[in-house]
Amino acid sequence: MGTAFQQKDSFVDRSAVRRSVRLSWEIKTLLPVVLALLNGVLLFVVATTSFADPERHAILLVAVIGALVICFVLIVTLALVIRRPMLELEDKIGRVSEGDLTATVEFARRNDELGDLGRNFNLMVRQLRESREEIERLHRTQMSRAEHLATMGEVAAGLAHEIRNPLAGIAGVMDIVGRDLPSTSPAREVLKDVREEVLRINRIVTDLLETARPKPPEFQFADLNATVEHAVIFARQQALSKAIKVHCIKSPDLPMVEHDTAQIHQVLLNLVLNAMQALDGPGTVTVTVEVRGGLAFVDVKDTGPGIPPEILPNIFRPFFTTKGHGTGLGLSLAKRIVEDHGGKLEVSSKVGHGTTFSMILPISRGNAAAAVAD
Ligand code: ADP
């Protein structure tokens, strides 16, 4: 009787089974009945003192045969009523565990507790089937979207690459033309504006290229104060016409920090330019470098309008922007670069008061876990 169970060992979790002698349920059911019957027969034998009396022999025989018939009827009934559906259920569970979610049990049509069990089993399998179909559908949709995005990324990367070369040429020509112009010429102002626009396009195109084809950081121990200061000077040049103050507070006791200077420069430039763009009118952007517990902290704090809480969860998503001319790539790229350095980019913002972005970098890559756990 235990063979059917043994055959399906592949889907039975034996680790959850108590360590005891394994008895099939039929034996467990019949054992008390058989014991009770034997007991009755024994009592009868003991109560009848003499075995020589043939009349008592006959009564004893009838009692034993009666007990055997009762046992037989019980076995047949149990086999028909319980054993068959149990075997079927076991077989269907095996099929389901092998991935066949079309399996249903026949005894679900019965109008008793076993029928209830069968109906519940069929319902469970149907729900599993529906969930699997839904997951497969979502997977197919996501795969085709991912393929589409990958193709778009390749196209964008190719396009960005093609645009950057002529842009560098245009910027070079601007420089040469600007140098030849008399210092009083009004065309100088126009050239400056055009040069700034060229730089802006170059930045957007670079962001696009880096999003589509991310480059791993080229680590070196370098002065993070200097990287931060360069980015601030670069950003200040774009704020000359506005009443925006950009302060840079360096850390006097910062050791050399292992980082890709070009990539961290790009992160800070994005953060400072975002802060400047957020200021609607006069305001202040303060960039602070600090060292604490083996980590370097660079905070970019502005006195702008802040970020509404409903927007905050989206700002690091690629292509999310609230600006008419924005690409929505700056922060997603910045986050990825900081994380590639084993660090973290965090934001805290209060509407009406301003926003602070905090870049946390490990001093050396050996400390990366501390930066992420902090
Ligand atoms: P983009 O600058 O092209 O919009 P980003 O990824 O750099 O793309 O920024 C995404 C969005 O995050 C911005 O459109 C803006 O809504 C918000 N944001 C970023 N920095 C600030 C800031 N300092 N203050 C307010 N909002 C900000």
Side-chain angles (χ1 to χ4, degrees), residues 138-185:
L138 283 174
H139 182 67
R140 272 196 302 276
T141 318
Q142 275 180 353
M143 285 302 286
S144 69
R145 197 174 298 160
E147 274 168 22
H148 182 70
L149 276 176
T151 315
M152 292 295 289
E154 278 302 307
V155 172
L159 210 62
H161 197 68
E162 291 301 315
I163 292 171
R164 274 197 337 164
N165 292 342
L167 268 187
I170 294 170
V173 172
M174 296 281 167
D175 280 345
I176 295 166
V177 174
R179 257 186 266 138
D180 292 346
L181 281 176
S183 57
T184 49
S185 169

Side-chain angles (χ1 to χ4, degrees), residues 1 3-5 7-8 11 25-26 79 82-94 105 107:
M1 286 197 183
T3 47
F5 284 100
Q7 282 160 7
K8 298 278 185 264
F11 62 86
W25 63 271
E26 288 96 331
I82 302 176
R83 180 74 183 151
R84 218 185 312 159
M86 271 186 65
L87 283 176
E88 188 189 356
L89 185 63
E90 210 180 318
D91 175 50
K92 296 298 163 65
I93 289 175
V105 288
F107 64 87

Side-chain angles (χ1 to χ4, degrees), residues 7 39 118 128 133 166 198 216 218 236 269 279 284 305:
Q7 282 160 7
N39 203 24
L128 272 176
E133 282 165 5
V198 168
E218 286 175 19
R236 268 197 202 121
L269 191 62
L279 294 174
T284 312

Side-chain angles (χ1 to χ4, degrees), residues 274-275 278 302 306-307 315 320-323 326-331 355 357:
N274 269 349
D302 66 61
I307 306 173
I315 61 169
F320 176 84
T321 181
T322 55
K323 302 171 193 168
T327 59
L329 292 174
L331 286 181
T355 304
F357 281 90

Side-chain angles (χ1 to χ4, degrees), residues 45-338:
V45 169
V46 171
T48 51
T49 45
S50 166
F51 285 93
D53 187 346
E55 198 180 315
R56 286 187 177 145
H57 260 159
I59 294 172
L60 188 62
L61 202 66
V62 169
V64 170
I65 290 171
L68 287 176
V69 169
I70 290 173
C71 285
F72 180 74
V73 170
L74 260 173
I75 288 173
V76 172
T77 314
L78 286 173
L80 285 178
V81 177
I82 302 176
R83 180 74 183 151
R84 218 185 312 159
M86 271 186 65
L87 283 176
E88 188 189 356
L89 185 63
E90 210 180 318
D91 175 50
K92 296 298 163 65
I93 289 175
R95 276 173 55 186
V96 170
S97 74
E98 279 157 17
D100 176 8
L101 296 184
T102 55
T104 52
V105 288
E106 290 295 315
F107 64 87
R109 279 178 292 184
R110 277 169 52 164
N111 190 14
D112 56 12
E113 287 85 348
L114 274 172
D116 291 344
L117 176 72
R119 280 186 289 282
N120 283 334
F121 175 81
N122 288 351
L123 181 70
M124 187 189 75
V125 175
R126 204 184 71 214
Q127 285 171 345
L128 272 176
R129 191 173 57 237
E130 286 170 2
S131 310
R132 189 170 72 180
E133 282 165 5
E134 181 63 12
I135 290 169
E136 281 172 358
R137 196 184 59 74
L138 283 174
H139 182 67
R140 272 196 302 276
T141 318
Q142 275 180 353
M143 285 302 286
S144 69
R145 197 174 298 160
E147 274 168 22
H148 182 70
L149 276 176
T151 315
M152 292 295 289
E154 278 302 307
V155 172
L159 210 62
H161 197 68
E162 291 301 315
I163 292 171
R164 274 197 337 164
N165 292 342
L167 268 187
I170 294 170
V173 172
M174 296 281 167
D175 280 345
I176 295 166
V177 174
R179 257 186 266 138
D180 292 346
L181 281 176
S183 57
T184 49
S185 169
R188 271 183 170 265
E189 201 53 37
V190 179
L191 265 186
K192 194 175 140 265
D193 287 350
V194 175
R195 201 171 186 285
E196 267 170 25
E197 285 306 303
V198 168
L199 284 177
R200 201 173 74 81
I201 298 173
N202 188 46
R203 216 182 55 247
I204 294 170
V205 166
T206 306
D207 282 357
L208 201 62
L209 195 59
E210 299 231 342
T211 305
R213 282 190 199 146
K215 271 193 288 174
E218 286 175 19
F219 287 102
Q220 61 181 62
F221 279 98
D223 183 359
L224 184 64
N225 274 326
T227 310
V228 173
E229 196 175 30
H230 276 149
V232 171
I233 292 170
F234 206 78
R236 268 197 202 121
Q237 287 170 1
Q238 308 200 21
L240 286 180
S241 55
K242 299 175 195 160
I244 295 173
K245 299 259 174 296
V246 187
H247 300 302
C248 181
I249 305 168
K250 296 189 280 183
S251 165
D253 37 37
L254 184 74
M256 291 287 156
V257 177
E258 200 174 10
H259 67 290
D260 180 323
T261 49
Q263 289 194 351
I264 296 298
H265 176 277
Q266 190 187 349
V267 170
L268 284 156
L269 191 62
N270 267 321
L271 296 181
V272 179
L273 290 178
N274 269 349
M276 284 165 41
Q277 286 161 6
L279 294 174
D280 195 11
T284 312
V285 179
T286 311
V287 184
T288 316
V289 187
E290 279 178 326
V291 57
R292 268 181 271 141
L295 301 172
F297 291 77
V298 183
D299 285 357
V300 179
K301 184 176 192 298
D302 66 61
T303 55
I307 306 173
E310 65 276 15
I311 283 185
L312 206 58
N314 300 322
I315 61 169
F316 290 107
R317 275 180 29 209
F319 303 107
F320 176 84
T321 181
T322 55
K323 302 171 193 168
H325 62 278
T327 59
L329 292 174
L331 286 181
S332 70
L333 202 59
K335 190 168 191 292
R336 211 207 55 231
I337 291 175
V338 175

